[in-house]
Amino acid sequence: MVIPERSAASLVVAAGARTAEARLLAEAGAFLERRDAALDAAFAAGDASAARHLLEHPLRIVVPSASLRDHVSAALLRHFGRSLAAVSVHTQWALALSVIERADLVR
């Protein structure tokens, strides 16, 4: 079974918003191709646990504002022409809350 490569989080500097968006869509597309190939292989092999593992770890895209979150979500939908399983676009604030909740610090 082929598992998508894990890569460390990275910061990319681009010359303008359109260049940054094009880079994001290209990198998301490459990740989704690897992930979908691994999912197809897992389903073909009847390996539900491998498929579940792939979907339990979403591609997280973090942006600074809710308006940019909405824009990036719409751009992903336009670019790929479909909704994307296990892909989420978070604001920095929402990601921070998610981390705190996972750490069980919210009471």
Side-chain angles (χ1 to χ4, degrees):
M1 169 175 48
V2 178
I3 301 291
E5 297 173 13
R6 286 188 169 247
S7 62
S10 62
L11 176 65
V12 176
V13 177
R18 290 187 178 139
T19 303
E21 183 175 307
R23 174 87 183 258
L24 172 67
L25 294 172
E27 290 195 18
F31 172 84
L32 292 169
E33 283 181 24
R34 289 191 308 270
R35 198 239 6 233
D36 290 349
L39 275 172
D40 290 344
F43 286 131
D47 190 352
S49 65
R52 184 176 59 248
H53 176 76
L54 288 167
L55 294 174
E56 285 175 345
H57 301 284
L59 171 61
R60 294 180 193 267
I61 300 169
V62 182
V63 297
S65 67
S67 60
L68 187 55
R69 180 198 60 215
D70 294 343
H71 174 81
V72 168
S73 296
L76 288 165
L77 183 59
R78 274 191 313 274
H79 182 76
F80 293 104
R82 61 184 171 93
S83 61
L84 302 170
V87 174
S88 58
V89 182
H90 294 281
T91 61
Q92 293 168 338
W93 178 255
L95 182 64
L97 291 176
S98 174
V99 169
I100 291 169
E101 288 173 1
R102 285 179 174 239
D104 198 28
L105 297 177
V106 174
R107 297 178 193 259

